[in-house]
Amino acid sequence: MAFKSLPANPVVAVAGATGAVGREMLLVLEQLEFPAAEVRALASERSAGKTVPFKPAPGGELTVKAMTPESFEGVDIALFAAGADVSIELREAVVAAGAVMIDNSSAFRMESGVPLVVPEVNPDDAFEHQGVIANPNCSTIQMVAALAPLNKIAPIKRVVVSTYQAASGAGAAAMDELYNQSRDFLDDKPLAVEHFAHQIAFNCIPHIDVFMDDAYTKEEWKMVVETKKIMHAPALELAVNCVRVPVLRCHAEMINVEFASELSVADARAALEAAPGIVVMDDPAAKSYPMPGLLAGSDPVYVGRLRQDTSVPHGLAFWNVADQIRKGAALNAVQIAQLLLSR
């Protein structure tokens, strides 16, 4: 399939426009003043006729249309936030229409020939697409954004990361469950557990996604294989632990890195401060460090608590926070679209 060159003012479709990530995609398109000639809001048949906010549209909203294979005729860029099954079902129709699918699900991330892209890390990969570009896992995005500038000045040998992932990473209903359980807990009422394996209010659950045969979870596996693909580093060693915590929005990660050569904390700080999309928030004397409860709705990947990891030669430890609905999903997808327009 030969893909048309993207026009300066492309037609953009947002698939899954009524969901949390789809709505955020529309907001990001609006806030970044993405130069779309037209934006189409698509969702399931049951959502057809609803409206979603989008200020550039007449009346400040878009009417949602039922998503069918014919919905992508005339579309240049299709931003997908509708789940893996829908992405798989509609891939052929999107590609046949000559559009580029930028998919937020896990459906195609590890497929050969599908670029897995974080624009600040591996922008050139985006231009090797065959109609589909995959958005990485949210936890992977914020980690590689911080690792990449460090890897440029000292090759990384091994990474150990523990994530502290917000309830909203499991969807809007999961966020509601945290609200409801917190209220019931404080009122000394029984807690309803539906969307998590256990109580999430006032608790931490070391279990995200399904367990695999090696006792790691699929979320942990994703971070390993996706990081290697994005960074073109098949020999990179990673140990990952993923934990759900009672935070509404923004994932945090504690990252320990072993380098192949010496890297001072000062040089690491300078590299991170110069890196696009990274904000260093690190002043222990002022008790300044990134905190997920205070950074919701923000775009950067924040880094703090920079210090030597003295347990290994050439070790560095740091803390990393990002809004997983923004940079971890919607923003990264729109940035990929911006990247495609840049050429």
Side-chain angles (χ1 to χ4, degrees):
M1 177 73 189
F3 293 93
K4 59 192 177 188
S5 298
L6 290 175
N9 301 105
V11 174
V12 177
V14 176
T18 57
V21 174
R23 285 175 177 266
E24 199 76 21
M25 285 175 170
L26 289 169
L27 181 60
V28 171
L29 288 168
E30 176 186 311
Q31 292 176 336
L32 296 184
E33 297 182 347
F34 190 85
E38 177 192 349
V39 174
R40 300 179 187 177
L42 306 175
S44 64
E45 182 70 43
R46 66 179 179 274
S47 294
K50 293 181 180 179
T51 59
V52 287
F54 187 63
K55 286 183 182 176
E61 59 187 20
L62 295 170
T63 299
V64 177
K65 296 180 180 179
M67 185 162 41
T68 68
E70 292 72 35
S71 300
F72 301 97
E73 292 299 326
V75 170
D76 300 299
I77 298 172
L79 302 174
F80 264 71
D85 290 344
V86 175
S87 296
I88 292 168
E89 178 185 350
L90 290 172
R91 174 187 189 168
E92 185 176 340
V94 174
V95 173
V100 180
M101 173 191 275
I102 301 175
D103 183 49
N104 195 62
S105 80
S106 61
F108 313 118
R109 288 175 185 160
M110 297 313 299
E111 183 178 313
S112 177
V114 174
L116 186 63
V117 176
V118 178
E120 298 90 342
V121 178
N122 59 331
D124 291 342
D125 289 1
F127 300 97
E128 302 299 320
H129 75 84
Q130 298 299 311
V132 179
I133 300 172
N135 220 28
N137 178 276
C138 50
S139 300
T140 303
I141 289 174
Q142 69 186 77
M143 181 172 72
V144 298
L147 292 179
L150 302 175
N151 191 55
K152 288 180 179 178
I153 56 175
I156 294 174
K157 289 178 59 179
R158 182 171 185 255
V159 177
V160 179
V161 56
S162 291
T163 72
Y164 304 76
Q165 295 181 224
S168 55
M175 189 188 297
D176 289 341
E177 184 160 305
L178 174 55
Y179 274 119
N180 294 334
Q181 284 188 3
S182 298
R183 187 180 299 110
D184 290 342
F185 183 94
L186 294 172
D187 289 341
D188 198 26
K189 294 179 180 179
L191 306 187
V193 176
E194 297 177 4
H195 294 281
F196 297 106
H198 301 280
Q199 166 190 330
I200 184 61
F202 303 94
N203 191 27
C204 297
I205 306 172
H207 172 193
I208 300 177
D209 212 323
V210 297
F211 281 99
M212 303 177 72
D213 290 343
D214 60 1
Y216 283 89
T217 65
K218 193 173 182 181
E219 182 81 356
E220 292 159 349
W221 171 82
K222 289 176 191 174
M223 289 189 70
V224 172
V225 296
E226 290 180 19
T227 298
K228 292 182 178 186
K229 181 173 180 176
I230 294 164
M231 296 185 68
H232 302 280
L236 179 62
E237 298 290 345
L238 296 104
V240 181
N241 311 282
C242 291
V243 182
R244 189 74 71 188
V245 297
V247 168
L248 289 169
R249 186 162 162 167
C250 288
H251 290 348
E253 299 173 343
M254 187 66 233
I255 302 174
N256 293 68
V257 188
E258 181 182 358
F259 297 90
S261 57
E262 184 177 354
L263 177 64
S264 69
V265 173
D267 286 345
R269 185 189 309 277
L272 289 164
E273 287 177 338
I278 299 289
V279 171
V280 176
M281 185 184 291
D282 185 34
D283 185 354
K287 300 178 183 176
S288 175
Y289 28 72
M291 290 179 283
L294 305 182
L295 294 172
S298 59
D299 288 345
V301 172
Y302 294 86
V303 173
R305 298 295 319 280
L306 276 162
R307 59 202 188 276
Q308 281 189 315
D309 177 350
T310 56
S311 69
V312 294
H314 316 312
L316 182 75
F318 61 91
W319 173 250
N320 163 320
V321 173
D323 186 321
Q324 89 286 353
I325 299 178
R326 295 284 293 193
K327 182 54 183 169
L331 175 63
N332 197 75
V334 175
Q335 287 175 321
I336 293 171
Q338 287 181 314
L339 183 62
L340 295 178
L341 289 188
S342 71
R343 292 190 187 179

